[in-house]
Amino acid sequence: MKGEQTALLLGFEPFNGDNVNPSQQIVDALAGAIVAAHRVAACTLPTEFARVVAMTSDLIAKYRPSLVLAVGQAGGRDGISIERIAVNVIDARVADNAGDQPVDAPVIDGAPNAYFSTLPIKAMLRALQNARISAEISNTAGTFVCNQVFYALAHLVATRHPDMRSGFVHVPFLPEQARRHAGAPSMELQTMIDATRLCLEVALTTRDDLHFAAGATH
Ligand code: PCA
């Protein structure tokens, strides 16, 4: 439809020897959906440091989205993690899917140390809480490929696309993955799909974020 706006939803390929990644299944499930009058363009990125930044920028040039939400797997976390902050550092504890394992490298040389999400993270959290979906604000997206993409998106917003907004949500293991990681928490795929759709909807319809305490003491 002419004039229709786009929301870009990004997921990631399985990594670290796993054969599934819930973020890929989530973005596949929401591809083509209409959420708050935006068509969802969905894409799964390779979990590879060397490729994702250019791919992300190409996708933005192609779709010209008004909003980008990236979703990644954070095995071990027990709910939806709405990320607040992206940092300009890569410190990989495991190799990516190309065998690369950079340590203490900047995402973008010379760029600011960190960026905040420009999505309404507290409003997203409140919506998930109201839907009885386990969720929290997270103050670190790690220092692996997800943080790299989150940071690169934020840098594009800050430097080249002032009208675009971007943010990141981490999701737990699927039940089938948790069975392979003793004691790890998990969440059903459908709950994660519902949560992601809700986050998108709230982000697309909320300009002024809510303010209630959801920080961390450590
Ligand atoms: N999670 C990893 C990379 C890909 C993904 O889904 C991360 O949190 O960096």
Side-chain angles (χ1 to χ4, degrees):
M1 193 172 87
K2 204 162 173 242
E4 189 176 61
Q5 292 196 295
T6 301
L8 179 60
L9 188 60
L10 301 176
F12 291 87
E13 289 176 354
F15 63 103
N16 198 21
D18 218 331
N19 59 353
V20 288
N21 186 327
S23 71
Q24 179 170 27
Q25 299 183 19
I26 292 165
V27 307
D28 283 351
L30 292 173
I34 303 292
V35 179
H38 286 65
R39 182 171 293 277
V40 176
C43 186
T44 295
L45 297 170
T47 304
E48 294 180 30
F49 289 109
R51 294 174 63 198
V52 285
V53 173
M55 284 185 73
T56 300
S57 148
D58 288 351
L59 286 167
I60 287 165
K62 176 176 175 188
Y63 290 109
R64 304 191 167 283
S66 42
L67 185 147
V68 187
L69 178 64
V71 184
Q73 166 193 316
R77 296 198 188 173
D78 57 11
I80 304 291
S81 291
I82 302 165
E83 300 294 350
R84 190 197 301 260
I85 181 164
V87 292
N88 192 13
V89 67
I90 298 170
D91 186 359
R93 278 172 55 171
V94 296
D96 72 4
N97 289 353
D100 286 340
Q101 194 175 349
V103 170
D104 297 345
V107 176
I108 298 173
D109 209 9
N113 289 340
Y115 287 112
F116 289 132
S117 171
T118 48
L119 303 186
I121 59 170
K122 298 283 181 75
M124 290 155 68
L125 176 62
R126 178 58 52 81
L128 295 179
Q129 290 170 335
N130 288 343
R132 302 276 182 269
I133 297 173
S134 167
E136 62 176 6
I137 301 296
S138 162
N139 297 301
T140 175
T143 55
F144 196 53
V145 181
C146 286
N147 173 73
Q148 185 196 28
V149 168
F150 183 22
Y151 184 91
L153 280 169
H155 188 67
L156 282 169
V157 170
T159 57
R160 285 172 48 193
H161 300 282
D163 295 334
M164 196 177 85
R165 293 180 297 147
S166 71
F168 201 100
V169 168
H170 264 121
V171 298
F173 281 138
L174 293 162
E176 66 180 273
Q177 294 176 289
R179 282 194 286 275
R180 298 194 289 268
H181 299 266
S186 67
M187 190 178 267
E188 293 294 336
L189 176 61
Q190 190 57 52
T191 307
M192 299 200 237
I193 294 169
D194 294 345
T196 304
R197 190 189 181 101
L198 205 47
C199 284
L200 257 186
E201 188 178 330
V202 169
L204 287 165
T205 54
T206 307
R207 283 286 156 178
D208 298 317
D209 201 2
L210 303 175
H211 295 289
F212 61 93
T217 52
H218 59 273

mmCIF file of all heavy atoms in Angstrom, residues 146-169:
data_model
loop_
_atom_site.group_PDB
_atom_site.id
_atom_site.type_symbol
_atom_site.label_atom_id
_atom_site.label_comp_id
_atom_site.label_asym_id
_atom_site.label_seq_id
_atom_site.Cartn_x
_atom_site.Cartn_y
_atom_site.Cartn_z
ATOM 1 N N CYS A 146 24.561 -8.981 19.743
ATOM 2 C CA CYS A 146 23.306 -8.242 19.959
ATOM 3 C C CYS A 146 23.588 -6.807 20.372
ATOM 4 O O CYS A 146 22.987 -5.868 19.840
ATOM 5 C CB CYS A 146 22.434 -8.934 21.009
ATOM 6 S SG CYS A 146 21.668 -10.440 20.380
ATOM 7 N N ASN A 147 24.478 -6.637 21.331
ATOM 8 C CA ASN A 147 24.840 -5.269 21.724
ATOM 9 C C ASN A 147 25.435 -4.507 20.543
ATOM 10 O O ASN A 147 25.186 -3.311 20.377
ATOM 11 C CB ASN A 147 25.832 -5.301 22.894
ATOM 12 C CG ASN A 147 26.361 -3.919 23.211
ATOM 13 O OD1 ASN A 147 25.658 -3.076 23.754
ATOM 14 N ND2 ASN A 147 27.610 -3.651 22.807
ATOM 15 N N GLN A 148 26.204 -5.203 19.721
ATOM 16 C CA GLN A 148 26.795 -4.553 18.547
ATOM 17 C C GLN A 148 25.698 -3.988 17.628
ATOM 18 O O GLN A 148 25.784 -2.846 17.167
ATOM 19 C CB GLN A 148 27.670 -5.557 17.784
ATOM 20 C CG GLN A 148 28.417 -4.950 16.607
ATOM 21 C CD GLN A 148 28.948 -5.998 15.639
ATOM 22 O OE1 GLN A 148 28.390 -7.077 15.518
ATOM 23 N NE2 GLN A 148 30.008 -5.665 14.943
ATOM 24 N N VAL A 149 24.676 -4.804 17.362
ATOM 25 C CA VAL A 149 23.581 -4.354 16.491
ATOM 26 C C VAL A 149 22.775 -3.240 17.159
ATOM 27 O O VAL A 149 22.427 -2.234 16.532
ATOM 28 C CB VAL A 149 22.678 -5.550 16.114
ATOM 29 C CG1 VAL A 149 21.389 -5.083 15.455
ATOM 30 C CG2 VAL A 149 23.446 -6.499 15.197
ATOM 31 N N PHE A 150 22.500 -3.407 18.449
ATOM 32 C CA PHE A 150 21.769 -2.386 19.218
ATOM 33 C C PHE A 150 22.531 -1.055 19.154
ATOM 34 O O PHE A 150 21.949 0.011 18.895
ATOM 35 C CB PHE A 150 21.640 -2.913 20.654
ATOM 36 C CG PHE A 150 20.873 -2.075 21.636
ATOM 37 C CD1 PHE A 150 19.940 -1.122 21.252
ATOM 38 C CD2 PHE A 150 21.076 -2.279 23.003
ATOM 39 C CE1 PHE A 150 19.231 -0.384 22.192
ATOM 40 C CE2 PHE A 150 20.379 -1.546 23.952
ATOM 41 C CZ PHE A 150 19.468 -0.591 23.543
ATOM 42 N N TYR A 151 23.844 -1.119 19.359
ATOM 43 C CA TYR A 151 24.661 0.103 19.328
ATOM 44 C C TYR A 151 24.673 0.707 17.918
ATOM 45 O O TYR A 151 24.516 1.916 17.739
ATOM 46 C CB TYR A 151 26.102 -0.182 19.794
ATOM 47 C CG TYR A 151 26.915 1.079 19.860
ATOM 48 C CD1 TYR A 151 26.987 1.834 21.026
ATOM 49 C CD2 TYR A 151 27.561 1.567 18.718
ATOM 50 C CE1 TYR A 151 27.684 3.031 21.067
ATOM 51 C CE2 TYR A 151 28.251 2.764 18.743
ATOM 52 C CZ TYR A 151 28.312 3.484 19.921
ATOM 53 O OH TYR A 151 28.988 4.686 19.942
ATOM 54 N N ALA A 152 24.874 -0.134 16.910
ATOM 55 C CA ALA A 152 24.944 0.365 15.527
ATOM 56 C C ALA A 152 23.629 1.032 15.127
ATOM 57 O O ALA A 152 23.628 2.082 14.456
ATOM 58 C CB ALA A 152 25.283 -0.774 14.574
ATOM 59 N N LEU A 153 22.526 0.454 15.547
ATOM 60 C CA LEU A 153 21.220 1.060 15.261
ATOM 61 C C LEU A 153 21.114 2.435 15.927
ATOM 62 O O LEU A 153 20.688 3.409 15.299
ATOM 63 C CB LEU A 153 20.105 0.174 15.830
ATOM 64 C CG LEU A 153 19.685 -1.049 15.017
ATOM 65 C CD1 LEU A 153 18.783 -1.937 15.860
ATOM 66 C CD2 LEU A 153 18.982 -0.613 13.731
ATOM 67 N N ALA A 154 21.482 2.479 17.191
ATOM 68 C CA ALA A 154 21.387 3.740 17.935
ATOM 69 C C ALA A 154 22.286 4.803 17.310
ATOM 70 O O ALA A 154 21.928 5.986 17.256
ATOM 71 C CB ALA A 154 21.756 3.505 19.392
ATOM 72 N N HIS A 155 23.449 4.378 16.839
ATOM 73 C CA HIS A 155 24.369 5.326 16.198
ATOM 74 C C HIS A 155 23.773 5.853 14.892
ATOM 75 O O HIS A 155 23.906 7.038 14.573
ATOM 76 C CB HIS A 155 25.718 4.647 15.951
ATOM 77 C CG HIS A 155 26.791 5.578 15.471
ATOM 78 N ND1 HIS A 155 27.318 6.593 16.245
ATOM 79 C CD2 HIS A 155 27.432 5.667 14.261
ATOM 80 C CE1 HIS A 155 28.231 7.256 15.555
ATOM 81 N NE2 HIS A 155 28.319 6.710 14.355
ATOM 82 N N LEU A 156 23.100 4.996 14.144
ATOM 83 C CA LEU A 156 22.445 5.441 12.908
ATOM 84 C C LEU A 156 21.343 6.448 13.215
ATOM 85 O O LEU A 156 21.174 7.446 12.505
ATOM 86 C CB LEU A 156 21.847 4.235 12.158
ATOM 87 C CG LEU A 156 22.831 3.386 11.366
ATOM 88 C CD1 LEU A 156 22.170 2.087 10.914
ATOM 89 C CD2 LEU A 156 23.344 4.170 10.152
ATOM 90 N N VAL A 157 20.584 6.185 14.276
ATOM 91 C CA VAL A 157 19.539 7.129 14.676
ATOM 92 C C VAL A 157 20.176 8.469 15.045
ATOM 93 O O VAL A 157 19.727 9.538 14.614
ATOM 94 C CB VAL A 157 18.722 6.578 15.873
ATOM 95 C CG1 VAL A 157 17.810 7.650 16.448
ATOM 96 C CG2 VAL A 157 17.909 5.357 15.447
ATOM 97 N N ALA A 158 21.248 8.410 15.827
ATOM 98 C CA ALA A 158 21.875 9.642 16.326
ATOM 99 C C ALA A 158 22.553 10.445 15.222
ATOM 100 O O ALA A 158 22.622 11.672 15.299
ATOM 101 C CB ALA A 158 22.890 9.290 17.411
ATOM 102 N N THR A 159 23.044 9.764 14.198
ATOM 103 C CA THR A 159 23.864 10.473 13.210
ATOM 104 C C THR A 159 23.194 10.662 11.851
ATOM 105 O O THR A 159 23.515 11.595 11.130
ATOM 106 C CB THR A 159 25.201 9.733 12.970
ATOM 107 O OG1 THR A 159 24.914 8.393 12.552
ATOM 108 C CG2 THR A 159 26.045 9.700 14.241
ATOM 109 N N ARG A 160 22.290 9.761 11.487
ATOM 110 C CA ARG A 160 21.764 9.828 10.112
ATOM 111 C C ARG A 160 20.259 9.768 9.975
ATOM 112 O O ARG A 160 19.707 10.146 8.952
ATOM 113 C CB ARG A 160 22.383 8.691 9.280
ATOM 114 C CG ARG A 160 23.825 9.000 8.932
ATOM 115 C CD ARG A 160 24.546 7.849 8.298
ATOM 116 N NE ARG A 160 23.815 7.220 7.219
ATOM 117 C CZ ARG A 160 24.158 6.038 6.702
ATOM 118 N NH1 ARG A 160 25.195 5.390 7.165
ATOM 119 N NH2 ARG A 160 23.450 5.508 5.728
ATOM 120 N N HIS A 161 19.573 9.239 10.962
ATOM 121 C CA HIS A 161 18.119 9.049 10.827
ATOM 122 C C HIS A 161 17.401 9.597 12.061
ATOM 123 O O HIS A 161 16.850 8.838 12.854
ATOM 124 C CB HIS A 161 17.784 7.567 10.645
ATOM 125 C CG HIS A 161 18.409 6.946 9.437
ATOM 126 N ND1 HIS A 161 17.915 7.133 8.159
ATOM 127 C CD2 HIS A 161 19.510 6.169 9.299
ATOM 128 C CE1 HIS A 161 18.670 6.476 7.288
ATOM 129 N NE2 HIS A 161 19.653 5.880 7.956
ATOM 130 N N PRO A 162 17.366 10.907 12.216
ATOM 131 C CA PRO A 162 16.802 11.499 13.437
ATOM 132 C C PRO A 162 15.313 11.185 13.644
ATOM 133 O O PRO A 162 14.840 11.239 14.777
ATOM 134 C CB PRO A 162 17.036 13.003 13.244
ATOM 135 C CG PRO A 162 17.267 13.187 11.781
ATOM 136 C CD PRO A 162 17.880 11.918 11.285
ATOM 137 N N ASP A 163 14.612 10.853 12.562
ATOM 138 C CA ASP A 163 13.176 10.563 12.719
ATOM 139 C C ASP A 163 12.900 9.096 13.047
ATOM 140 O O ASP A 163 11.763 8.713 13.304
ATOM 141 C CB ASP A 163 12.408 10.933 11.445
ATOM 142 C CG ASP A 163 12.459 12.436 11.209
ATOM 143 O OD1 ASP A 163 12.620 13.175 12.199
ATOM 144 O OD2 ASP A 163 12.361 12.843 10.038
ATOM 145 N N MET A 164 13.944 8.284 12.980
ATOM 146 C CA MET A 164 13.767 6.861 13.263
ATOM 147 C C MET A 164 13.974 6.632 14.758
ATOM 148 O O MET A 164 14.672 7.392 15.421
ATOM 149 C CB MET A 164 14.814 6.086 12.452
ATOM 150 C CG MET A 164 14.567 4.619 12.300
ATOM 151 S SD MET A 164 15.845 3.893 11.234
ATOM 152 C CE MET A 164 17.152 3.587 12.417
ATOM 153 N N ARG A 165 13.351 5.587 15.304
ATOM 154 C CA ARG A 165 13.626 5.202 16.697
ATOM 155 C C ARG A 165 14.069 3.746 16.701
ATOM 156 O O ARG A 165 13.680 2.968 15.826
ATOM 157 C CB ARG A 165 12.379 5.391 17.560
ATOM 158 C CG ARG A 165 11.999 6.883 17.706
ATOM 159 C CD ARG A 165 10.774 7.067 18.556
ATOM 160 N NE ARG A 165 9.618 6.459 17.950
ATOM 161 C CZ ARG A 165 8.615 5.902 18.631
ATOM 162 N NH1 ARG A 165 8.638 5.877 19.952
ATOM 163 N NH2 ARG A 165 7.600 5.368 17.992
ATOM 164 N N SER A 166 14.881 3.388 17.698
ATOM 165 C CA SER A 166 15.367 2.007 17.717
ATOM 166 C C SER A 166 15.577 1.512 19.146
ATOM 167 O O SER A 166 15.831 2.299 20.065
ATOM 168 C CB SER A 166 16.679 1.885 16.934
ATOM 169 O OG SER A 166 17.733 2.511 17.628
ATOM 170 N N GLY A 167 15.468 0.201 19.282
ATOM 171 C CA GLY A 167 15.694 -0.404 20.590
ATOM 172 C C GLY A 167 15.862 -1.905 20.475
ATOM 173 O O GLY A 167 15.827 -2.471 19.366
ATOM 174 N N PHE A 168 16.046 -2.519 21.627
ATOM 175 C CA PHE A 168 16.401 -3.940 21.650
ATOM 176 C C PHE A 168 15.681 -4.658 22.793
ATOM 177 O O PHE A 168 15.547 -4.115 23.895
ATOM 178 C CB PHE A 168 17.915 -4.086 21.847
ATOM 179 C CG PHE A 168 18.439 -5.414 21.386
ATOM 180 C CD1 PHE A 168 19.063 -5.547 20.155
ATOM 181 C CD2 PHE A 168 18.265 -6.547 22.167
ATOM 182 C CE1 PHE A 168 19.516 -6.783 19.715
ATOM 183 C CE2 PHE A 168 18.707 -7.783 21.730
ATOM 184 C CZ PHE A 168 19.349 -7.912 20.506
ATOM 185 N N VAL A 169 15.273 -5.880 22.507
ATOM 186 C CA VAL A 169 14.652 -6.736 23.523
ATOM 187 C C VAL A 169 15.341 -8.097 23.485
ATOM 188 O O VAL A 169 15.495 -8.688 22.408
ATOM 189 C CB VAL A 169 13.139 -6.890 23.242
ATOM 190 C CG1 VAL A 169 12.542 -7.991 24.077
ATOM 191 C CG2 VAL A 169 12.402 -5.580 23.518
#
